[in-house]
Each structure stands twice: as C-alpha cells, then as structure tokens.
C-alpha cells in the first residue's frame, strides 16, 4: 500500500514511560460457548451491518469491516479493509481515536443524489434541472468542502453558508468550482454579512441572500444601494407542515426560522415599492431534518410549491425552489417512519416525491417548472467517515466473581437478611432468573441497613455483594473502558440521544461472548454510551486479550460524518481525534492521502487561554527548587515537554514503549 504525500507526525515517547503501567482486564466467569459454527455473516446480522451498512459497509471473509468506496459499483478487489487502514495509520504515527475519511464515498454520495434527481426529472418530463447545494455547517472540514466542490463541479453543485466565516470559506472554495454553482446565504444576518454576500455577487458568484426575518430586507436594500449592487433575494417560508420528534422542532408555524404568510406578503409589497420584485428569485423552506416519510415530505412540498406559484403570480422573477435539508439517514436499518434515527424511503423515492409534487402544483397553476435545489448535508457526508477507537480494559459493574473467595457469614445476618439469603439461594438452584434479580436487591438492601446501624462488619457486606454478583453473573453487563471522549467525538449522543451504529471493526469471525456498554475517559457520569441501535442497552462484545503484542480491540462508530466534529467540545481537555484521508487504489487496496495528528495537550490548553511555554517556565522554577538542577530535574522537564506534545488520550501499548502518538502537523498535498 502506497502513501501519497503523507507526513508522519513527529513521534513523542510516552511521557514518564519509565513509570510503566498495567491494564487490568476481567474475564467472564461463564465459559465461552462453542464458536465453531460462527461466521462473519452471523456478525453482519447481529450488528445489523446488512441493514444500515449498504452500499458502503459490509463484513468481509476475514471478519473485518470492509468499506465499499464506490457503493454498489465497488468491485471485490476495490473493497478496503478498515483494520488494515487503522494499522497503516498507526504506522504513520497517528494515535487513536482516529477519524478515517473516504473521499470516494463522498463522491459517490454526490453522484447518487444527482442521479436520483436526474432520473426522476427524466421520467416525469420535468421542465427544469436539479442543482444541489452543500450546507457547510454539516462538516466544515477544509478537505470535505474542497472535495465536494471538486466532485460536484460537473453538475453545478454549490454551497450554503449560515454565518460570516462559513460564507468566506464558501466563497474561497467556489473559486475552483462550477461557475453555475449557487452560493446560498442563509442564517441571521447583519450589515456585514449582507455586504459580503453582495460583494460575492460582484465577484461573479451566484449568491442568493435568503431572508430569514422580515427586517433583513431593509438591511439588504440599504447595503445594496450603498455598494451599488443589485441583490438576488430568496425568502424562507415558515410552513405549517410539521413532523413530530426532535428533528421537527425547527419546522411548523412555531419554528425558529422563516417568514409567515403575512410577512411574505409584506416583503413582496415592499420589494414592489422599491421596484425590486425582479430580485426575488428563490423560495426556501425546511420541513425538518430526518423527514421520516415521503407522505410528510409531499405535504410540505405541496404547501411550499403553492407559495412559489403565488409569488410568481405577484410578479416575482421566481426561478428556484430550495427544498432545504431533511433527506434522512437510516441509522439502524429499520426503514421505519416512526423513528428519529430512521426513514421509510430510499434516495430515489425521496427525489421522485419532490419532483412529481413540484411539477403537479406548478402545472395546476400554469407556472413554469423551477430549478429544484436541496441542502442535504446529512445525506451527503454522514457515510464518508468512520470514528475508530480502542477498548483498553473491561470490568464487571460489581466485583469480579472469579475473585470472590468468601461466602456470607449467614449467622451474622439479621433474621430478615438471613431469610432473603435462603430464598435467593433456593431461587438460584431452581434457576428462577427474575426472582433472583428481585431477591438480590432485597438481600443487599437489608444488609446495607444492618451495616448503617453498625450491626454488620464490612467484610460480611462485601461477601454478600460478591455472592449476589456470583448468582447473577450469567447476565452481567460489563463496562468496556474506551479511549475516547463522548463529548468531543459523539456529542449528539450526549446532547440529544442520537444513536449511531457502533461495531467492532475486526474479530467478526468470532462469536461475541459478552455484552457491555462503553465508558469514556472523561471524569463525567454522562461520559458513557449505554444505548445502541435496535433498542439495546448493551452491545455484544468480545473478550479483551491481555497481550501487549497485538491484543488491541477496535470499535468503529459509523454514519457520523455530519455535525459531530463541529459540535464536539474539549470537555476535560480531550481534543479532536487524529484524521486519515484514504482513497481506493487498484490492486493495492488504498492510499493514505494525508495524515493529521489529533490535538496535543499543548493545543487544547492554548484553546482555553493557557500558555504552555509560560507553564513550562513556571514548572521549571518549581523543579529546580525541589528537585535540584541535576539530571533528575532535566528528566522531569523532558517529561513535561513531552506530555505537552502528546495527545491527551491514553497512549496505546506501542506508544508506551516509545513508538506512537504525538502532535504532528497536517500533511500538505
């Protein structure tokens, strides 16, 4: 496998590595069942990869997750083994957690959306074309935006901005894009934002200023007069159509954005007064993200298309109808219209619904078919990246039953506790699982009360806990400690309960013998993942292997390419993960086009206003005061310096030996 223009980050040895460390992994008490008949196809079904993965993800014959960069057109030799990518990235000095980007998938998503609308337009005999727009808020990464502009230039794909910095990056990127691409300017605006958008028009960008509030029209008119630039104006309609659930909260009459019917009429009247009706050319609307069904989509499009026709009838030079976002992702593969994490339609069904509905309403009103635009950010970028992280240890939520050596001293228990103990023992012998769960809680509760009263020794209380854990161990859910910050890398799970597919990326030819939830590195009780697709509170997982020579256990979070990176914070000062851009390459499998190390300790400290160099100088004075100025002081200072250059996450076994993880610079192409 070749590596093009990839610069390995400068590898820093693990700070204070001479101190050493040991990871404790608790094995399950129950013997593993036979896995002789287990195959990768069983894992594909167990983790629902066969439902949410197509056409980009599958389980290969080696038991690893494979990426199919060209979707359904991917040939067998073009599939990319994700485990091999992780190993290659590690050899380049990248430390986990790691975001792996697949630009080929991004290209395929753009082509698939364009193809779906082109097919619907041709089959319906629609009188205009489709012209997509990427909302950069979905993922503002430079490479992502530049790739979208490059890949979409052949079919006039444009960009949408919702703030001044987004507008600046959109203008810069579109310099190399299609001259026909749209530059949609959404979001709340001040005079500076509007002036930037008008200057963009002067520079021959096809900028459209979309009114989110009625008062913005005055700002546009005033700025246009001062700059001598006649604007192209759109307006966002606040539809009455609304869908339920979290993602419908920005739609409907009480939505955050858009103009009501009365406000639209006042805007049209004012534009007529200033002889600017010819400037109004686009209608924008947004039913809501993750539109669950085509029936709801059709309701919204009918309402919006009728508004479009009314604007045309009132003299506006209407040309574009922008259906906004809402093209959903089926995160769990259920094809359900009753869920925030699924949709009940295909890409082609979505496009067909939009085209035929707009055509129906316009034909009914004898209005020329408009150019159809969409801002399907989630649908464009969700599939193109995978977050890979490592489970570093695992433990039972109680004491490990294998370590239990004491039995409860029954004679020291109160009469009520002793009765509960005897009942629990009898229920266990009869294998009455539900009654055992009830009785363990009763026994523990009675013993705790006896302990609080000072009538029970701590040793006996611990023995009771061990006994209860032993009874219930067959269904024990384990805690897998992962080298990750939920708040940084999966903020939507913590913030709104968004679920993403999480799957081991290897060992899928083995039967998982345990179940567990994931606990991150942060000192925060919310730093865990305890809900998974399929309504599960735990995930089937494999035993960890205590083998520093190759026992890493890698998990992947999929379909998270939209929003997660921009929304992630630095809680506990855990910064952004490392990033590798990977493209398919003939018989060699893949090429790592660039490797970018994650944020170092020094970087996240600077992000919060601290000055790492000043901190080192302060610590140097402290070291000289208490450790002297000999070799010991130099060793300590070297450790401080090394730590500032390393990522905040736990270093892997290789890095602890001096072979990994550091704060390198981005590889320039």
């Amino acid at each position: 496998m070749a590596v093009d223009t990839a610069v390995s980050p400068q590898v820093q040895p693990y700070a204070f590595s001479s101190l050493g460390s040991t990871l404790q992994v608790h094995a399950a008490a129950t013997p593993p069942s036979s896995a002789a008949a287990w195959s990768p196809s069983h894992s594909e079904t167990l983790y629902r990869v066969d439902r949410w993965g197509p056409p980009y993800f599958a389980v290969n014959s080696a038991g690893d997750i494979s990426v199919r960069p060209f979707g359904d057109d991917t040939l067998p030799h073009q599939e990319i083994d994700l485990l091999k990518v992780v190993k290659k990235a590690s050899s380049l000095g990248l430390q986990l957690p790691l975001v792996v980007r697949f630009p080929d998938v991004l290209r395929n998503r753009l082509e698939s959306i364009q193809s779906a609308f082109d097919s619907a337009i041709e089959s319906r005999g629609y009188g205009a074309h489709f012209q997509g727009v990427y909302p950069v808020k979905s993922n503002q990464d430079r490479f992502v935006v530049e790739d979208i502009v490059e890949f979409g230039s052949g079919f006039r794909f444009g960009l949408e901005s919702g703030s001044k910095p987004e507008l600046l990056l959109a203008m810069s990127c579109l310099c190399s894009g299609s001259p026909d691409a749209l530059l949609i300017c959404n979001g709340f605006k001040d005079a500076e934002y509007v002036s930037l958008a008008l200057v963009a028009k002067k520079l021959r960008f096809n900028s459209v200023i979309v009114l989110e509030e009625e008062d913005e029209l005055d700002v546009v008119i005033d700025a246009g007069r001062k700059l001598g630039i006649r604007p192209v104006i759109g307006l966002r309609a606040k539809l009455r159509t609304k869908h339920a659930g979290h993602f419908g909260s920005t739609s409907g009459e009480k939505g955050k954005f858009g103009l009501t019917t009365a406000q639209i009429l006042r805007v049209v009247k004012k534009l007529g007064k200033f002889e600017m009706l010819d400037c109004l050319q686009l209608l924008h609307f947004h039913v809501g993200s993750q539109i669950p069904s085509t029936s709801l989509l059709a309701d919204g499009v009918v309402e919006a298309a009728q508004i479009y026709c009314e604007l045309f009838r009132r003299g506006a030079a209407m040309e574009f109808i922008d259906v906004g976002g809402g093209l959903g992702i089926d995160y769990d593969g259920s094809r359900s219209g009753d869920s925030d994490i699924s949709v009940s339609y295909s890409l082609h069904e979505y496009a067909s619904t939009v085209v035929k509905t707009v055509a129906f309403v316009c034909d009914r009103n004898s209005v020329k078919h408009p150019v159809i635009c969409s801002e399907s950010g989630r649908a464009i970028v969700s599939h193109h990246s995978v977050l890979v992280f490592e489970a570093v240890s695992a433990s039972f939520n109680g004491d490990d039953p294998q370590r239990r050596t004491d039995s409860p001293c029954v004679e020291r228990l109160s009469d009520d506790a002793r009765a509960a103990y005897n009942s629990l023992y009898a229920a266990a012998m009869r294998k009455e699982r539900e009654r055992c769960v009830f009785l363990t809680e009763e026994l523990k509760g009675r013993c705790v009360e006896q302990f609080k009263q000072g009538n029970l020794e701590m040793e006996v209380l611990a023995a009771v806990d061990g006994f209860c854990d032993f009874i219930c161990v067959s269904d024990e859910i384990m805690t897998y400690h992962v080298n990750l910050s939920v708040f940084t890398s999966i903020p939507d799970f913590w913030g709104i309960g968004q679920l993403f597919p999480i799957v081991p990326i290897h060992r899928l030819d083995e039967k998982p013998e345990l179940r567990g939830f994931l606990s991150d590195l942060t000192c925060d009780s919310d730093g865990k993942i305890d809900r998974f697709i399929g309504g599960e509170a735990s995930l089937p997982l494999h035993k960890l292997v205590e083998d520093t020579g190759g026992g890493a256990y890698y998990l992947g979070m999929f379909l998270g390419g939209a929003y997660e990176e921009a929304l992630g914070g630095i809680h506990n000062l855990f910064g952004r993960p490392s990033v590798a851009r990977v493209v398919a390459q003939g018989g060699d499998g893949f090429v790592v086009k660039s490797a970018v190390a994650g944020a170092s300790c020094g970087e996240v400290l600077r992000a919060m206003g601290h000055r790492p160099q000043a901190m080192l100088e302060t610590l140097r004075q402290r070291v000289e005061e208490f450790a002297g100025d000999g070799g010991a002081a130099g060793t300590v200072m070297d450790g401080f310096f090394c730590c500032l250059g390393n990522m905040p996450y736990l270093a892997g076994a290789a890095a602890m030996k001096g072979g990994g993880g550091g704060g390198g610079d981005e590889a320039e192409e």
Side-chain angles (χ1 to χ4, degrees):
M1 294 171 289
V3 180
D4 288 354
T5 64
V7 177
S8 297
Q10 292 185 350
V11 174
Q12 300 282 356
Y14 178 60
F16 311 113
S17 58
S18 60
L19 299 178
S21 69
T22 302
L23 295 177
Q24 296 295 328
V25 181
H26 299 165
T30 54
S33 57
S34 173
W38 194 262
S39 69
S41 63
H42 289 103
S43 290
E44 196 165 47
T45 301
L46 177 66
Y47 293 105
R48 297 173 173 242
V49 180
D50 56 348
R51 303 172 88 177
W52 58 259
Y56 301 109
F57 305 104
V59 179
N60 63 27
S61 59
D64 301 336
I65 291 289
S66 65
V67 180
R68 308 180 74 243
F70 310 113
D72 289 330
D73 295 327
T74 305
L75 300 175
H77 71 275
Q78 295 174 318
E79 293 190 6
I80 299 173
D81 190 310
L82 188 55
L83 179 62
K84 292 181 179 179
V85 172
V86 173
K87 290 181 176 179
K88 186 62 181 178
S90 297
S91 75
L92 295 173
L94 293 188
Q95 183 184 332
L96 271 60
L98 172 70
V99 171
V100 185
R101 299 196 196 284
F102 295 95
D104 293 315
V105 172
L106 203 56
R107 183 196 297 269
N108 187 265
R109 291 302 295 169
L110 290 172
E111 293 173 346
S112 297
I113 291 172
Q114 184 70 38
S115 175
F117 274 96
D118 286 348
S119 176
I121 285 170
E122 182 179 1
S123 64
R124 182 64 176 77
Y126 191 79
H129 64 272
F130 168 76
Q131 195 163 342
V133 174
Y134 171 64
V136 298
K137 69 176 181 180
S138 300
N139 191 320
Q140 299 99 335
D141 178 82
R142 175 169 68 90
F143 288 117
V144 171
V145 181
E146 289 178 352
D147 282 344
I148 288 172
V149 170
E150 177 188 350
F151 301 155
S153 62
F155 30 85
R156 299 168 287 204
F157 222 89
L159 298 175
E160 179 269 348
S161 69
S163 66
K164 285 177 274 189
E166 287 186 350
L167 178 53
L168 288 169
L169 76 85
M171 291 168 64
S172 175
C173 291
L174 283 175
C175 286
S176 58
S178 168
D180 298 321
L182 290 172
L183 175 54
I184 303 295
C185 304
N186 287 334
F188 296 111
K189 304 168 190 70
D190 60 9
E192 186 175 43
Y193 187 151
V194 171
S195 297
L196 281 172
L198 290 170
V199 169
K201 185 173 184 293
K202 182 74 172 181
L203 298 176
R204 297 296 188 270
F205 293 108
N206 300 308
S207 59
V208 181
I209 302 173
V210 178
L211 305 180
E212 304 280 3
E213 294 184 305
E214 184 179 358
D215 293 343
E216 289 177 356
L217 179 58
D218 294 329
V219 180
V220 173
I221 293 173
D222 183 60
R225 284 181 168 180
K226 289 179 179 178
L227 294 172
I229 301 172
R230 197 166 180 83
V232 174
I233 297 173
L235 58 82
R236 178 167 177 162
K238 185 177 290 187
L239 302 184
R240 290 169 172 78
T241 304
K242 183 182 185 300
H243 78 73
H246 170 81
F247 292 111
S249 62
T250 55
S251 63
E253 290 184 280
K254 297 183 179 180
K256 179 179 178 182
F257 304 104
L259 281 64
T260 64
T261 303
Q263 290 172 326
I264 290 173
L265 290 173
R266 288 197 294 267
V267 164
V268 171
K269 184 177 181 180
K270 180 172 285 190
L271 286 172
K273 177 182 176 182
F274 284 90
E275 298 183 350
M276 293 178 64
L277 264 177
D278 62 306
C279 296
L280 180 56
Q281 299 180 19
L282 180 145
L283 177 71
H284 173 49
F285 67 96
H286 181 62
V287 176
S289 296
Q290 282 287 108
I291 296 174
S293 66
T294 54
S295 60
L296 179 63
L297 172 66
D299 285 345
V301 174
V302 164
E303 182 181 354
Q306 187 61 42
I307 294 173
Y308 178 94
C309 293
E310 289 292 325
L311 293 173
F312 181 87
R313 187 173 66 82
R314 283 170 165 76
M318 300 303 292
E319 186 176 346
F320 304 94
I321 186 166
D322 184 346
V323 302
L327 174 53
I329 296 296
D330 193 355
Y331 289 98
D332 64 359
S334 65
R335 284 288 294 244
S336 169
D338 300 317
S339 169
D340 281 343
I341 62 170
S342 184
V343 293
S344 61
Y345 52 83
S346 67
L347 178 55
H348 282 273
E349 289 168 339
Y350 175 92
S352 177
T353 299
V354 171
V355 170
K356 72 180 182 183
T357 306
V358 173
F360 169 77
V361 175
C362 289
D363 290 345
R364 183 178 64 188
N365 288 274
S366 300
V367 171
K368 181 182 177 182
H369 293 171
V371 174
I372 296 175
C373 308
S374 76
E375 302 174 11
S376 305
R378 186 187 301 269
I380 292 171
V381 296
S382 288
H383 300 79
H384 95 283
S385 70
V386 180
L387 173 70
V388 179
F389 52 97
E390 183 181 1
V392 295
S393 66
S395 61
F396 287 100
N397 293 325
D399 190 22
D400 186 343
Q402 289 190 337
R403 296 185 175 188
R404 189 186 64 82
T405 57
D406 299 326
S407 296
C409 300
V410 180
E411 65 275 6
R412 300 185 191 178
L413 302 180
S414 66
D415 291 342
D416 290 341
R418 190 181 302 116
Y421 169 83
N422 291 331
S423 297
L424 174 58
Y425 187 87
M429 292 299 100
R430 294 191 298 268
K431 297 183 179 181
E432 297 173 350
R433 175 61 191 155
E434 292 184 6
R435 182 157 176 77
C436 283
V437 172
F438 171 77
L439 290 171
T440 54
E441 293 302 315
E442 180 182 356
L443 175 58
K444 286 184 177 182
R446 295 191 185 282
C447 290
V448 167
E449 287 303 315
Q450 190 177 350
F451 174 74
K452 289 178 180 179
Q453 295 168 6
N455 297 325
L456 191 67
E457 296 86 347
M458 186 177 292
E459 291 81 2
V460 178
L461 186 64
V464 168
D465 287 340
F467 174 74
C468 291
D469 288 342
F470 179 75
I471 293 295
C472 299
V473 71
S474 60
D475 287 337
E476 184 65 63
I477 303 299
M478 299 187 71
T479 301
Y480 277 67
H481 306 283
V482 293
N483 197 10
L484 181 77
S485 165
V486 170
F487 305 94
T488 299
S489 294
I490 320 178
D492 269 340
F493 175 81
W494 167 70
I496 62 173
Q498 171 73 40
L499 301 183
F500 299 92
I502 296 177
V503 182
I505 68 167
H506 61 137
R507 296 180 61 183
L508 297 175
D509 54 345
E510 305 172 27
K511 183 176 182 179
E513 300 162 358
L514 304 171
R515 296 192 71 90
F517 67 89
L518 310 180
S519 178
D520 77 355
L521 296 180
T522 65
C523 301
D524 196 305
S525 58
D526 286 333
K528 62 183 178 181
I529 304 174
D530 55 2
R531 284 171 289 127
F532 303 89
I533 62 170
E536 299 289 341
S538 62
L539 192 67
L541 295 166
H542 303 83
K543 286 184 180 180
L544 301 188
V545 180
E546 269 191 283
D547 178 7
T548 57
Y553 188 50
Y554 299 117
L555 301 168
M557 185 202 80
F558 297 81
L559 309 185
Y563 301 110
E564 300 313 289
E565 293 171 54
L567 290 175
I570 53 173
H571 184 36
N572 258 171
L573 296 187
F574 288 106
R576 68 178 186 277
S578 303
V579 179
R581 293 177 72 242
V582 176
V583 299
Q585 176 180 279
D588 288 336
F590 64 88
V591 177
V592 178
K593 295 292 289 184
S594 65
V596 184
S600 67
C601 293
E603 288 180 87
V604 293
L605 285 167
R606 279 191 289 271
M608 296 304 294
H610 297 279
R611 296 176 297 164
Q613 291 303 318
M615 293 168 61
L616 280 176
E617 185 56 35
T618 300
L619 290 169
R620 185 188 306 279
Q621 296 173 15
R622 187 77 169 187
V623 168
E624 290 175 352
E625 180 180 356
F626 290 98
D629 56 1
T635 300
V636 172
M637 289 307 301
D638 287 345
F640 287 148
F641 183 80
C642 174
C643 189
L644 284 172
N646 285 342
M647 290 176 67
Y649 298 92
L650 301 183
M656 285 180 166
K657 295 179 178 180
D665 294 325
E666 180 176 328
E668 293 291 335
E669 292 191 299

mmCIF file of all heavy atoms in Angstrom, residues 22-34:
data_model
loop_
_atom_site.group_PDB
_atom_site.id
_atom_site.type_symbol
_atom_site.label_atom_id
_atom_site.label_comp_id
_atom_site.label_asym_id
_atom_site.label_seq_id
_atom_site.Cartn_x
_atom_site.Cartn_y
_atom_site.Cartn_z
ATOM 1 N N THR A 22 -0.074 -1.039 33.898
ATOM 2 C CA THR A 22 -0.660 -2.346 33.641
ATOM 3 C C THR A 22 -2.160 -2.181 33.479
ATOM 4 O O THR A 22 -2.803 -1.531 34.286
ATOM 5 C CB THR A 22 -0.389 -3.306 34.822
ATOM 6 O OG1 THR A 22 1.016 -3.396 35.014
ATOM 7 C CG2 THR A 22 -0.960 -4.679 34.521
ATOM 8 N N LEU A 23 -2.707 -2.747 32.418
ATOM 9 C CA LEU A 23 -4.145 -2.722 32.211
ATOM 10 C C LEU A 23 -4.749 -3.991 32.782
ATOM 11 O O LEU A 23 -4.298 -5.089 32.475
ATOM 12 C CB LEU A 23 -4.470 -2.625 30.718
ATOM 13 C CG LEU A 23 -4.034 -1.326 30.028
ATOM 14 C CD1 LEU A 23 -4.358 -1.423 28.539
ATOM 15 C CD2 LEU A 23 -4.733 -0.150 30.650
ATOM 16 N N GLN A 24 -5.791 -3.840 33.591
ATOM 17 C CA GLN A 24 -6.459 -4.996 34.177
ATOM 18 C C GLN A 24 -7.710 -5.305 33.385
ATOM 19 O O GLN A 24 -8.557 -4.460 33.180
ATOM 20 C CB GLN A 24 -6.836 -4.700 35.647
ATOM 21 C CG GLN A 24 -5.628 -4.473 36.551
ATOM 22 C CD GLN A 24 -4.763 -5.710 36.688
ATOM 23 O OE1 GLN A 24 -5.270 -6.824 36.651
ATOM 24 N NE2 GLN A 24 -3.465 -5.514 36.828
ATOM 25 N N VAL A 25 -7.819 -6.527 32.895
ATOM 26 C CA VAL A 25 -8.992 -6.955 32.150
ATOM 27 C C VAL A 25 -9.640 -8.116 32.880
ATOM 28 O O VAL A 25 -8.987 -9.115 33.162
ATOM 29 C CB VAL A 25 -8.622 -7.388 30.716
ATOM 30 C CG1 VAL A 25 -9.863 -7.792 29.959
ATOM 31 C CG2 VAL A 25 -7.907 -6.256 29.989
ATOM 32 N N HIS A 26 -10.894 -7.975 33.213
ATOM 33 C CA HIS A 26 -11.600 -9.014 33.957
ATOM 34 C C HIS A 26 -12.309 -9.938 32.995
ATOM 35 O O HIS A 26 -13.119 -9.514 32.183
ATOM 36 C CB HIS A 26 -12.626 -8.359 34.892
ATOM 37 C CG HIS A 26 -11.978 -7.445 35.907
ATOM 38 N ND1 HIS A 26 -12.696 -6.525 36.632
ATOM 39 C CD2 HIS A 26 -10.691 -7.319 36.301
ATOM 40 C CE1 HIS A 26 -11.885 -5.860 37.444
ATOM 41 N NE2 HIS A 26 -10.670 -6.315 37.248
ATOM 42 N N ALA A 27 -12.023 -11.193 33.068
ATOM 43 C CA ALA A 27 -12.670 -12.170 32.187
ATOM 44 C C ALA A 27 -14.011 -12.586 32.758
ATOM 45 O O ALA A 27 -14.266 -12.472 33.939
ATOM 46 C CB ALA A 27 -11.771 -13.393 32.027
ATOM 47 N N ALA A 28 -14.875 -13.074 31.918
ATOM 48 C CA ALA A 28 -16.190 -13.527 32.364
ATOM 49 C C ALA A 28 -16.063 -14.846 33.109
ATOM 50 O O ALA A 28 -15.179 -15.648 32.843
ATOM 51 C CB ALA A 28 -17.124 -13.700 31.167
ATOM 52 N N ALA A 29 -16.967 -15.066 34.043
ATOM 53 C CA ALA A 29 -16.917 -16.289 34.835
ATOM 54 C C ALA A 29 -17.501 -17.465 34.072
ATOM 55 O O ALA A 29 -17.173 -18.606 34.342
ATOM 56 C CB ALA A 29 -17.685 -16.089 36.133
ATOM 57 N N THR A 30 -18.376 -17.171 33.104
ATOM 58 C CA THR A 30 -19.011 -18.265 32.376
ATOM 59 C C THR A 30 -18.125 -18.713 31.228
ATOM 60 O O THR A 30 -17.515 -17.899 30.539
ATOM 61 C CB THR A 30 -20.374 -17.814 31.822
ATOM 62 O OG1 THR A 30 -20.175 -16.619 31.052
ATOM 63 C CG2 THR A 30 -21.328 -17.522 32.953
ATOM 64 N N PRO A 31 -18.022 -20.009 30.978
ATOM 65 C CA PRO A 31 -17.175 -20.497 29.887
ATOM 66 C C PRO A 31 -17.774 -20.114 28.548
ATOM 67 O O PRO A 31 -18.989 -20.027 28.399
ATOM 68 C CB PRO A 31 -17.192 -22.013 30.086
ATOM 69 C CG PRO A 31 -18.472 -22.276 30.799
ATOM 70 C CD PRO A 31 -18.700 -21.101 31.697
ATOM 71 N N PRO A 32 -16.928 -19.819 27.543
ATOM 72 C CA PRO A 32 -17.458 -19.447 26.232
ATOM 73 C C PRO A 32 -18.163 -20.616 25.579
ATOM 74 O O PRO A 32 -17.749 -21.761 25.709
ATOM 75 C CB PRO A 32 -16.208 -19.041 25.450
ATOM 76 C CG PRO A 32 -15.096 -19.794 26.112
ATOM 77 C CD PRO A 32 -15.469 -19.891 27.564
ATOM 78 N N SER A 33 -19.240 -20.291 24.875
ATOM 79 C CA SER A 33 -19.923 -21.332 24.116
ATOM 80 C C SER A 33 -19.147 -21.594 22.836
ATOM 81 O O SER A 33 -18.337 -20.799 22.401
ATOM 82 C CB SER A 33 -21.347 -20.872 23.783
ATOM 83 O OG SER A 33 -21.308 -19.662 23.066
ATOM 84 N N SER A 34 -19.411 -22.692 22.235
ATOM 85 C CA SER A 34 -18.673 -23.067 21.027
ATOM 86 C C SER A 34 -18.928 -22.071 19.914
ATOM 87 O O SER A 34 -20.056 -21.697 19.637
ATOM 88 C CB SER A 34 -19.113 -24.461 20.568
ATOM 89 O OG SER A 34 -18.527 -24.768 19.324
#
